[in-house]
Amino acid sequence: MKTKPQSPKKSRNLEKSRKEILEVAFMEVFTKGFQGVSIDDIVAKTNLTKGAFYHQFPTKLDMGYALVDEVIKPMIIERWIKPLESYENPLDGILAQMKTLIGEADPKYLKLGCPLNNLVQEMSPVDKEFHIRLQIALNLWIDEMDLHLKRAKKSGYLKPDVNTKQVAHFVVMAHEGFYGMLKGLDDPKIFSALYASLKLYFKSISKNARSV
Amino acid sequence: MKTKPQSPKKSRNLEKSRKEILEVAFMEVFTKGFQGVSIDDIVAKTNLTKGAFYHQFPTKLDMGYALVDEVIKPMIIERWIKPLESYENPLDGILAQMKTLIGEADPKYLKLGCPLNNLVQEMSPVDKEFHIRLQIALNLWIDEMDLHLKRAKKSGYLKPDVNTKQVAHFVVMAHEGFYGMLKGLDDPKIFSALYASLKLYFKSISKNARSV
DNA sequence: TTGACAACATACTAATTAGTATGTAATGCT
DNA sequence: AGCATTACATACTAATTAGTATGTTGTCAA
C-alpha cells in the first residue's frame, strides 16, 4: 500500500480551520444576527484563536461574505433545489420540500428563521458588498427554481401562458415569507394555513386540477 | 378668548421629547438595525442629550419596545388597515394599498424593507420581550385583516368556503415577503411580478372572476 | 414668590469590540 | 536534515458602547 495522497493527521489545516470557523460562525450569526455576534464569541466556541480567525479573514465583514458564498449558497442548492430533481412534477416537489424542511422542522430552529433571509433583512442596507453577495444568492435560488418551473411547463403541468420567472419570484418570496411569519408568530399551526394558501395558488396556475 | 389648555411654548416637554427621540430612533433602527444603532447615534441626531434619553427609557431595549408599541403598531393600522375601509371589496383595497405603498414607494425607502419585519427578523430570537411585542403587532395586523376579509365574504366577494383567517395569514405573509424580496433584489420590476401572482391567488378565492 | 420636583444636561466608567503586533511551532520542499 | 514559510497563538490597543452619577434649570402648585 502506498502512502495516502493527503496526510491523514496534521495539527494545522487551513481548509479545515476555515470550515470550523465558518460552521461556528454560521450558528452564532443564525441565532444572534451578524451585528450581534463578536469575533471573540466565535473563536471561543472553536478550538482555534483570534490569530487563526484573522489569518483566514481580513475583517469581520469578509467572514460574513464567506458565510454567504461558502455556507449559505450551497445550502440553498442542497436543501431547496437538488431535491426537486426527483419529482416528475416540480410543483409537488416544492410543496413537499416546504412541508419537510419548514412544516416538520424543529421549532427550536424555526424560531431562528432562514439564514439567508435573516442576513438579507439585517445586512442589505448596512453594507453594499453584503447586499451584492446576498442578491447573487437570491437570484441563484430564483433562477434554479425557474429552470424547474420551465420543466414543469414543458411536461404540461403548468398552464401554457404561465410566466415561470414570475412564479419563481413568488415561490422564493413565499419561502422567505413563511420563515418570517413562523419566526414572528409562535403557533406551528400557521404553517398549515400558509401551505394551504400556496397550494391554492399552485392549483390556479396548474393545467390539470388532478395533480398538486 | 380663554387661555389655551396646553401651554404653547415650554422648553421642557416630556411627551414631545419622547416623540422626538422615538422618531429619530425609528429612522436609525430602520436603516442600521436595532443592534447596529447606538444611543449616542440617536441622541446626536436629536436636540436632546443622553440624560433625556435615559429619563424616558430605562434601557436601550425598553426604547425598542416603545418603538414597536408607540410607532410601528399605529403605523400598521394607519397604512395597511384604515385605508381598506373605503373599499367596497377589501381585496381591491389590499391590492391597491400594496401598489401605492410598495409598488410606488421611493426605492430609497424600499431598500430599507419593512420596519416591523426588520425587527421581527433581527430581534425575535435575541430578546424574548421583543418577541412578545412583535408577535402582538403581527397578530393585530392579521386580526384586523381578517375582519376585512370576513366583510368581503359577507358581501359575497369571497367563495363561501374560504377560511378568512387563513387568507389573512397569507396576505400578511405576502406583505412581509414582498418587502423582503424587494430589499434583497434591486429590480423594481419585481414588484409587478409578485403583485401579478398575488392577484392570481386572490382570483382563485374570489366568487366572481369579474372583480379583482 | 417660592420651594420642590420633574426634565433634562454633563461627565464619567467599566465592559466589550474589531483589529494589530508579535511570537512560535508545525509543515513541506529541497 | 535544514530552512523558509505557513498556520496559527498570545498579548495588546484604541475606539465604541450601554449605562450611571451628579449637577442644573425650567415648571407649576400652593
Side-chain angles (χ1 to χ4, degrees), chain A residues 24-82:
Chain A
V24 170
F26 174 81
M27 277 311 293
E28 287 293 297
V29 171
F30 193 25
T31 53
K32 305 177 191 169
F34 184 80
Q35 297 183 112
V37 152
S38 75
I39 291 159
D40 289 312
D41 282 347
I42 294 171
V43 296
K45 297 204 171 188
T46 297
N47 287 324
L48 302 156
T49 63
K50 221 167 190 178
F53 184 97
Y54 279 98
H55 187 62
Q56 299 272 357
F57 311 106
T59 70
K60 188 190 176 187
L61 279 170
D62 286 286
M63 183 272 285
Y65 307 154
L67 266 184
V68 177
D69 295 340
E70 299 168 34
V71 180
I72 292 177
K73 270 170 72 175
M75 200 174 282
I76 291 171
I77 299 295
E78 208 59 41
R79 291 167 59 93
W80 297 111
I81 301 300
K82 275 277 169 66

Coordinates of all heavy atoms in Angstrom, one line a residue, chain A residues 24-82:
Chain A
V24 N -19.1 27.4 13.1 CA -19.5 28.0 14.3 C -20.1 29.4 14.1 O -21.1 29.7 14.6 CB -18.2 28.2 15.2 CG1 -18.6 29.0 16.4 CG2 -17.8 26.8 15.7
A25 N -19.4 30.2 13.2 CA -19.9 31.5 12.9 C -21.4 31.4 12.3 O -22.2 32.3 12.6 CB -19.0 32.2 11.9
F26 N -21.6 30.4 11.5 CA -23.0 30.3 10.9 C -24.0 30.2 12.0 O -25.0 30.9 12.0 CB -23.0 29.0 10.0 CG -24.4 28.7 9.5 CD1 -24.9 29.4 8.4 CD2 -25.2 27.8 10.1 CE1 -26.2 29.1 8.0 CE2 -26.4 27.5 9.7 CZ -26.9 28.2 8.6
M27 N -23.8 29.3 13.0 CA -24.8 29.2 14.0 C -24.9 30.4 14.9 O -26.0 30.8 15.3 CB -24.4 28.0 14.9 CG -24.9 26.6 14.4 SD -26.6 26.6 13.9 CE -27.4 26.8 15.5
E28 N -23.8 31.0 15.2 CA -23.8 32.2 16.0 C -24.5 33.4 15.3 O -25.4 34.1 15.9 CB -22.3 32.7 16.3 CG -21.6 31.8 17.3 CD -22.2 31.9 18.7 OE1 -22.2 33.0 19.3 OE2 -22.8 30.9 19.2
V29 N -24.2 33.6 14.0 CA -24.9 34.6 13.3 C -26.4 34.2 13.1 O -27.3 35.1 13.2 CB -24.2 34.8 11.9 CG1 -25.1 35.7 11.0 CG2 -22.8 35.4 12.1
F30 N -26.6 33.0 12.9 CA -28.0 32.5 12.8 C -28.8 32.8 14.0 O -30.0 33.2 13.9 CB -28.0 31.0 12.6 CG -29.3 30.4 12.1 CD1 -30.2 31.1 11.4 CD2 -29.5 29.0 12.3 CE1 -31.4 30.6 10.9 CE2 -30.7 28.5 11.8 CZ -31.6 29.2 11.2
T31 N -28.2 32.7 15.2 CA -29.0 32.9 16.4 C -29.0 34.4 16.9 O -30.0 34.9 17.4 CB -28.5 32.1 17.6 OG1 -27.1 32.3 17.7 CG2 -28.7 30.6 17.3
K32 N -27.9 35.1 16.7 CA -27.8 36.5 17.2 C -27.8 37.6 16.2 O -27.8 38.7 16.6 CB -26.5 36.6 18.1 CG -26.4 35.5 19.2 CD -25.1 35.7 19.9 CE -24.8 34.5 20.9 NZ -23.5 34.5 21.4
G33 N -27.7 37.2 14.9 CA -27.5 38.2 13.9 C -26.1 38.6 13.7 O -25.2 38.4 14.6
F34 N -25.7 39.1 12.5 CA -24.3 39.4 12.2 C -23.8 40.5 13.1 O -22.7 40.3 13.7 CB -24.2 39.8 10.8 CG -22.8 40.0 10.3 CD1 -22.0 39.0 10.0 CD2 -22.3 41.3 10.3 CE1 -20.7 39.2 9.6 CE2 -21.0 41.5 9.9 CZ -20.2 40.5 9.5
Q35 N -24.5 41.5 13.3 CA -24.1 42.6 14.1 C -24.1 42.3 15.6 O -23.5 42.9 16.4 CB -24.9 43.9 13.9 CG -24.8 44.4 12.4 CD -25.6 45.7 12.2 OE1 -25.0 46.7 11.9 NE2 -26.9 45.6 12.2
G36 N -24.9 41.3 16.0 CA -25.0 40.9 17.4 C -23.9 39.9 17.8 O -23.8 39.5 19.0
V37 N -23.1 39.5 16.9 CA -22.1 38.5 17.2 C -20.7 39.1 17.2 O -20.4 40.0 16.4 CB -22.1 37.3 16.1 CG1 -20.8 36.7 16.0 CG2 -23.2 36.3 16.5
S38 N -19.9 38.7 18.2 CA -18.5 39.2 18.2 C -17.5 38.1 17.8 O -17.8 36.9 17.9 CB -18.1 39.7 19.6 OG -17.9 38.6 20.5
I39 N -16.4 38.5 17.3 CA -15.4 37.6 16.9 C -14.9 36.8 18.1 O -14.6 35.6 18.0 CB -14.2 38.3 16.2 CG1 -14.8 38.8 14.8 CG2 -13.0 37.4 15.9 CD1 -14.0 39.9 14.2
D40 N -14.8 37.4 19.2 CA -14.5 36.7 20.4 C -15.5 35.6 20.7 O -15.1 34.5 21.2 CB -14.4 37.6 21.6 CG -13.2 38.6 21.5 OD1 -12.1 38.1 21.2 OD2 -13.3 39.8 21.7
D41 N -16.8 35.9 20.5 CA -17.8 34.8 20.7 C -17.5 33.6 19.8 O -17.5 32.5 20.3 CB -19.2 35.4 20.3 CG -19.8 36.3 21.3 OD1 -19.3 36.3 22.4 OD2 -20.8 37.0 21.0
I42 N -17.2 33.9 18.6 CA -17.0 32.8 17.6 C -15.8 32.0 18.0 O -15.9 30.8 18.1 CB -16.9 33.4 16.2 CG1 -18.2 34.0 15.8 CG2 -16.5 32.3 15.2 CD1 -18.1 34.8 14.5
V43 N -14.6 32.6 18.1 CA -13.4 31.9 18.4 C -13.5 31.1 19.7 O -12.9 30.0 19.8 CB -12.1 32.7 18.3 CG1 -12.0 33.3 17.0 CG2 -12.2 33.8 19.4
A44 N -14.3 31.6 20.6 CA -14.4 30.9 21.9 C -15.1 29.6 21.8 O -14.8 28.6 22.5 CB -15.2 31.8 22.9
K45 N -16.0 29.5 20.8 CA -16.7 28.2 20.5 C -15.9 27.3 19.6 O -16.4 26.4 19.0 CB -18.1 28.5 20.0 CG -18.9 29.3 21.0 CD -20.4 29.0 20.7 CE -21.2 29.6 21.9 NZ -22.6 29.3 21.8
T46 N -14.7 27.7 19.3 CA -13.8 27.0 18.4 C -12.6 26.4 19.1 O -12.3 26.8 20.2 CB -13.4 28.0 17.3 OG1 -14.5 28.4 16.6 CG2 -12.4 27.4 16.3
N47 N -11.9 25.5 18.5 CA -10.6 25.1 19.1 C -9.5 26.0 18.7 O -8.3 25.7 18.9 CB -10.4 23.6 18.6 CG -11.3 22.6 19.3 OD1 -11.6 22.8 20.5 ND2 -11.7 21.6 18.6
L48 N -9.9 27.1 18.0 CA -8.8 28.0 17.5 C -8.9 29.3 18.2 O -9.6 29.5 19.2 CB -9.1 28.2 16.0 CG -9.1 26.9 15.1 CD1 -9.9 27.1 13.9 CD2 -7.7 26.5 14.8
T49 N -8.0 30.2 17.8 CA -8.0 31.5 18.5 C -8.1 32.7 17.4 O -8.3 32.4 16.2 CB -6.6 31.7 19.2 OG1 -5.6 31.7 18.2 CG2 -6.4 30.6 20.2
K50 N -8.0 33.9 18.0 CA -8.2 35.0 17.1 C -7.2 35.1 16.0 O -7.5 35.6 14.9 CB -8.1 36.3 18.0 CG -9.1 37.3 17.6 CD -9.1 38.4 18.7 CE -10.3 39.3 18.5 NZ -10.4 40.3 19.5
G51 N -6.0 34.6 16.3 CA -5.0 34.6 15.2 C -5.4 33.8 14.0 O -5.2 34.2 12.9
A52 N -6.0 32.6 14.3 CA -6.5 31.8 13.2 C -7.6 32.5 12.4 O -7.6 32.5 11.2 CB -7.0 30.5 13.7
F53 N -8.5 33.2 13.2 CA -9.6 33.9 12.5 C -9.0 34.9 11.5 O -9.4 34.9 10.4 CB -10.4 34.5 13.6 CG -11.7 35.2 13.0 CD1 -12.9 34.6 12.9 CD2 -11.6 36.5 12.4 CE1 -14.0 35.2 12.4 CE2 -12.7 37.1 11.9 CZ -13.9 36.5 11.9
Y54 N -8.1 35.7 12.0 CA -7.7 36.8 11.1 C -6.6 36.4 10.1 O -6.3 37.1 9.2 CB -7.1 38.0 12.0 CG -8.3 38.9 12.5 CD1 -8.8 38.7 13.8 CD2 -8.8 39.8 11.7 CE1 -9.8 39.5 14.2 CE2 -9.9 40.6 12.1 CZ -10.4 40.5 13.4 OH -11.4 41.2 13.8
H55 N -6.2 35.1 10.3 CA -5.4 34.6 9.2 C -6.3 34.1 8.0 O -5.9 34.2 6.9 CB -4.6 33.3 9.7 CG -3.6 32.8 8.8 ND1 -2.6 33.5 8.3 CD2 -3.6 31.6 8.1 CE1 -1.9 32.8 7.5 NE2 -2.5 31.6 7.3
Q56 N -7.5 33.8 8.3 CA -8.5 33.4 7.3 C -9.2 34.6 6.7 O -9.4 34.7 5.5 CB -9.5 32.5 7.9 CG -8.9 31.2 8.4 CD -8.8 30.1 7.4 OE1 -9.2 30.3 6.2 NE2 -8.2 29.0 7.8
F57 N -9.6 35.5 7.6 CA -10.5 36.6 7.1 C -9.9 38.0 7.5 O -9.6 38.2 8.7 CB -11.9 36.5 7.7 CG -12.5 35.1 7.5 CD1 -12.6 34.3 8.6 CD2 -12.9 34.7 6.3 CE1 -13.1 33.0 8.5 CE2 -13.4 33.4 6.1 CZ -13.6 32.6 7.2
P58 N -9.7 38.9 6.5 CA -9.1 40.2 6.8 C -10.0 41.0 7.8 O -9.4 41.7 8.7 CB -9.1 40.9 5.5 CG -9.2 39.8 4.5 CD -10.0 38.7 5.1
T59 N -11.3 40.9 7.7 CA -12.2 41.6 8.6 C -13.4 40.8 8.9 O -13.6 39.7 8.3 CB -12.7 42.9 8.0 OG1 -13.6 42.6 6.9 CG2 -11.6 43.8 7.4
K60 N -14.2 41.2 9.8 CA -15.4 40.5 10.2 C -16.4 40.5 9.0 O -17.0 39.5 8.8 CB -16.1 41.3 11.4 CG -17.3 40.5 12.0 CD -18.1 41.4 12.9 CE -19.3 40.7 13.5 NZ -20.1 41.7 14.3
L61 N -16.4 41.6 8.3 CA -17.3 41.6 7.1 C -16.9 40.5 6.1 O -17.8 39.9 5.5 CB -17.3 43.0 6.4 CG -18.1 44.1 7.1 CD1 -17.8 45.4 6.5 CD2 -19.6 43.7 6.9
D62 N -15.6 40.4 5.9 CA -15.1 39.3 4.9 C -15.6 38.0 5.4 O -15.9 37.1 4.5 CB -13.6 39.4 4.8 CG -13.2 40.6 4.0 OD1 -13.3 40.5 2.7 OD2 -12.7 41.6 4.5
M63 N -15.6 37.7 6.7 CA -16.1 36.4 7.1 C -17.6 36.3 6.8 O -18.1 35.2 6.4 CB -15.9 36.4 8.7 CG -16.4 35.1 9.3 SD -18.1 35.1 9.8 CE -18.0 36.1 11.2
G64 N -18.3 37.4 6.9 CA -19.7 37.4 6.5 C -19.9 37.1 5.1 O -20.8 36.3 4.7
Y65 N -19.1 37.7 4.2 CA -19.2 37.4 2.8 C -19.0 35.9 2.6 O -19.6 35.2 1.8 CB -18.2 38.2 2.0 CG -18.3 39.7 2.2 CD1 -17.1 40.5 2.0 CD2 -19.4 40.3 2.6 CE1 -17.2 41.8 2.2 CE2 -19.5 41.6 2.9 CZ -18.4 42.4 2.7 OH -18.4 43.8 2.9
A66 N -18.0 35.3 3.2 CA -17.6 33.9 3.1 C -18.8 33.0 3.6 O -19.1 32.0 3.0 CB -16.4 33.6 3.9
L67 N -19.5 33.5 4.6 CA -20.7 32.8 5.1 C -21.7 32.6 3.9 O -22.3 31.5 3.7 CB -21.3 33.5 6.2 CG -20.9 33.1 7.7 CD1 -21.7 33.8 8.7 CD2 -21.1 31.6 7.8
V68 N -21.9 33.7 3.3 CA -22.9 33.7 2.2 C -22.4 32.8 1.1 O -23.2 31.9 0.6 CB -23.1 35.1 1.6 CG1 -24.1 35.1 0.5 CG2 -23.7 36.0 2.7
D69 N -21.2 33.0 0.6 CA -20.7 32.3 -0.5 C -20.4 30.8 -0.3 O -20.8 29.9 -1.1 CB -19.4 32.9 -1.1 CG -19.6 34.3 -1.6 OD1 -20.8 34.6 -1.9 OD2 -18.7 35.1 -1.6
E70 N -19.9 30.5 0.9 CA -19.4 29.1 1.1 C -20.3 28.3 2.0 O -20.1 27.1 2.0 CB -18.0 29.2 1.7 CG -17.0 29.9 0.9 CD -15.7 30.2 1.6 OE1 -15.3 29.4 2.5 OE2 -15.1 31.3 1.3
V71 N -21.2 28.9 2.7 CA -22.1 28.1 3.5 C -23.6 28.2 3.0 O -24.2 27.2 2.7 CB -22.1 28.5 5.0 CG1 -23.0 27.7 5.8 CG2 -20.6 28.4 5.5
I72 N -24.1 29.4 2.9 CA -25.5 29.6 2.6 C -25.9 29.2 1.2 O -26.8 28.5 1.0 CB -25.9 31.0 2.9 CG1 -25.8 31.2 4.5 CG2 -27.3 31.3 2.4 CD1 -26.1 32.6 4.9
K73 N -25.1 29.6 0.2 CA -25.4 29.3 -1.2 C -25.4 27.8 -1.4 O -26.4 27.3 -2.0 CB -24.4 30.0 -2.1 CG -24.9 31.4 -2.6 CD -23.8 32.2 -3.3 CE -23.5 31.6 -4.7 NZ -22.5 32.5 -5.4
P74 N -24.4 27.1 -1.0 CA -24.5 25.6 -1.2 C -25.7 25.0 -0.5 O -26.3 24.0 -0.9 CB -23.2 25.1 -0.6 CG -22.3 26.2 -0.6 CD -23.1 27.5 -0.5
M75 N -26.0 25.6 0.7 CA -27.2 25.1 1.5 C -28.5 25.3 0.7 O -29.4 24.4 0.8 CB -27.2 25.8 2.8 CG -28.0 25.1 3.9 SD -27.9 26.0 5.5 CE -26.2 25.5 6.0
I76 N -28.6 26.4 0.0 CA -29.9 26.6 -0.8 C -30.0 25.5 -1.8 O -31.0 24.9 -2.0 CB -29.8 28.0 -1.4 CG1 -29.9 29.1 -0.4 CG2 -30.9 28.1 -2.4 CD1 -29.6 30.5 -0.9
I77 N -28.9 25.3 -2.5 CA -28.9 24.3 -3.6 C -29.2 22.9 -3.1 O -30.1 22.2 -3.6 CB -27.6 24.3 -4.3 CG1 -27.3 25.6 -5.0 CG2 -27.5 23.2 -5.4 CD1 -28.2 26.0 -6.1
E78 N -28.6 22.6 -1.9 CA -28.7 21.3 -1.4 C -30.1 21.0 -0.8 O -30.7 19.9 -1.0 CB -27.7 21.1 -0.3 CG -27.3 19.7 0.0 CD -26.7 19.1 -1.3 OE1 -25.9 19.8 -2.0 OE2 -27.0 17.9 -1.6
R79 N -30.7 22.0 -0.2 CA -32.0 21.9 0.5 C -33.2 22.2 -0.3 O -34.3 21.6 -0.2 CB -32.0 22.8 1.8 CG -31.1 22.3 2.9 CD -30.9 23.4 3.9 NE -32.2 23.7 4.6 CZ -32.6 23.2 5.7 NH1 -31.9 22.2 6.3 NH2 -33.7 23.5 6.2
W80 N -33.1 23.2 -1.2 CA -34.3 23.6 -1.9 C -34.3 23.3 -3.4 O -35.4 23.3 -4.1 CB -34.4 25.1 -1.7 CG -34.7 25.5 -0.3 CD1 -33.9 26.1 0.5 CD2 -35.8 25.1 0.5 NE1 -34.4 26.3 1.8 CE2 -35.6 25.7 1.8 CE3 -37.0 24.4 0.2 CZ2 -36.5 25.5 2.8 CZ3 -37.9 24.3 1.3 CH2 -37.7 24.8 2.5
I81 N -33.1 23.1 -4.0 CA -33.1 22.9 -5.5 C -32.9 21.4 -5.8 O -33.7 20.8 -6.5 CB -32.0 23.8 -6.1 CG1 -32.3 25.2 -5.8 CG2 -31.9 23.5 -7.6 CD1 -33.6 25.8 -6.4
K82 N -31.8 20.8 -5.4 CA -31.5 19.5 -5.7 C -32.6 18.5 -5.5 O -32.9 17.7 -6.3 CB -30.3 19.0 -4.9 CG -28.9 19.3 -5.5 CD -28.5 18.3 -6.5 CE -27.3 18.8 -7.4 NZ -26.1 18.9 -6.6

